[in-house]
Amino acid sequence: QVQLVESGGGLVQSGGSLRLSCAASGFTFSRYAMRWYRQTPGKERERVAHISSGGGTIIYADSVKGRFAVSRDNAKNTVYLQMNSLKPEDTAVYYCNAPFNDYWGQGTQVTVSS
């Protein structure tokens, strides 16, 4: 039912930027908050950003605060994550999800070289 397709990852040098996109379908996108997560082998999945259904409430993990910006376009059923000043410790697979959903997409790999 729910489909989440992340894109925009890649290889970037420390200090660089990437913009991730998540295209959602299978639910009424505009009614739900959306979240970005990241996961590195050996570590717990970490929620990095939250955006409310209308975009008015945004929450970031301390580890990315001031560097990442989440936004959404409800007309396009898409949520974005702008990542600036990237650090090697940001290297992970990044996923988006809605809070009700138990199924995850493939994610998009972000690799930050030192």
Side-chain angles (χ1 to χ4, degrees):
Q1 183 185 337
V2 173
Q3 187 173 13
L4 302 163
V5 181
E6 299 93 346
S7 62
L11 175 64
V12 65
Q13 292 183 330
S14 295
S17 297
L18 287 171
R19 191 186 193 219
L20 308 184
S21 298
C22 170
S25 61
F27 64 102
T28 305
F29 180 80
S30 62
R31 294 182 182 175
Y32 293 94
M34 292 294 293
R35 294 157 173 175
W36 283 98
Y37 300 80
R38 65 187 181 188
Q39 189 162 32
T40 300
K43 296 179 65 178
E44 290 288 304
R45 185 169 56 229
E46 176 188 21
R47 193 174 82 187
V48 301
H50 165 102
I51 184 167
S52 62
S53 59
T57 300
I58 293 173
I59 304 169
Y60 298 104
D62 288 344
S63 56
V64 307
K65 198 171 298 179
R67 300 187 298 118
F68 290 11
V70 63
S71 61
R72 66 191 294 161
D73 186 340
N74 285 346
K76 296 181 178 179
N77 284 10
T78 302
V79 62
Y80 305 95
L81 187 67
Q82 178 68 46
M83 306 186 297
N84 300 320
S85 302
L86 283 162
K87 305 173 181 179
E89 49 263 48
D90 295 318
T91 295
V93 179
Y94 284 73
Y95 302 87
C96 63
N97 213 341
F100 68 89
N101 187 44
D102 293 329
Y103 302 99
W104 298 80
Q106 291 298 118
T108 186
Q109 175 72 49
V110 172
T111 303
V112 184
S113 63
S114 59

